[in-house]
Amino acid sequence: MGSAAHYLEINAPAQRCYDWWRPLTHVPEIFPDVERVEPITGQAGDTHWVVTGPAGKKVEWDARIVEDEPGRKVAWKSMEEGTAKSTTVANAGVVRFDDHGDTTGVEVSLQYDAPGGTAGEVAATLFADPQKKIERALDSFKNLMESAQTGR
């Protein structure tokens, strides 16, 4: 299993940062490989993820929010194999928000374990150089939050 994490100070309040992350549906705005994250109807905290890999191949999985501390943390993990919403890519993530008044320390941590076969090839592309992808995603998130702060 691989993992990556990154911490960045953002000039925005913790609650606003948390509110952006909480539904998880905004993730494609900062992670280009993630095509979409959609809520699963009738399942609070459950989402369906679609990720595009090489040659347009797609991998999909369902995830569940497993920890939710408003304004402080949101964590999710892919659903276990053998359930009605069986996963093809075992993964988990957590975003922590350290409230420093006018600024917020944001840390994103991801863990993943890609399967073999076609799904594994796509997942390997998604998780190729995960440290750089998280760093770029947090830079994009910082730009979004700080642009919203100044009204740009």
Side-chain angles (χ1 to χ4, degrees), residues 68-113:
D68 187 4
E69 297 177 30
R72 297 187 39 152
K73 175 169 61 169
V74 62
W76 64 94
K77 73 174 193 168
S78 56
M79 293 193 200
E80 300 297 324
E81 290 188 33
T83 66
K85 305 288 187 191
S86 185
T87 186
T88 57
V89 179
N91 65 86
V94 61
V95 184
R96 290 181 185 83
F97 309 95
D98 298 328
D99 188 348
H100 300 143
D102 291 339
T103 65
T104 302
V106 178
E107 180 183 37
V108 175
S109 301
L110 299 176
Q111 294 182 327
Y112 52 90
D113 189 12

Side-chain angles (χ1 to χ4, degrees), residues 108-132:
V108 175
S109 301
L110 299 176
Q111 294 182 327
Y112 52 90
D113 189 12
T118 301
E121 291 171 17
V122 175
T125 299
L126 169 66
F127 296 115
D129 204 353
Q131 188 63 44
K132 285 206 182 299

Side-chain angles (χ1 to χ4, degrees), residues 1 31 48 73 84:
M1 181 170 267
F31 281 95
H48 182 75
K73 175 169 61 169

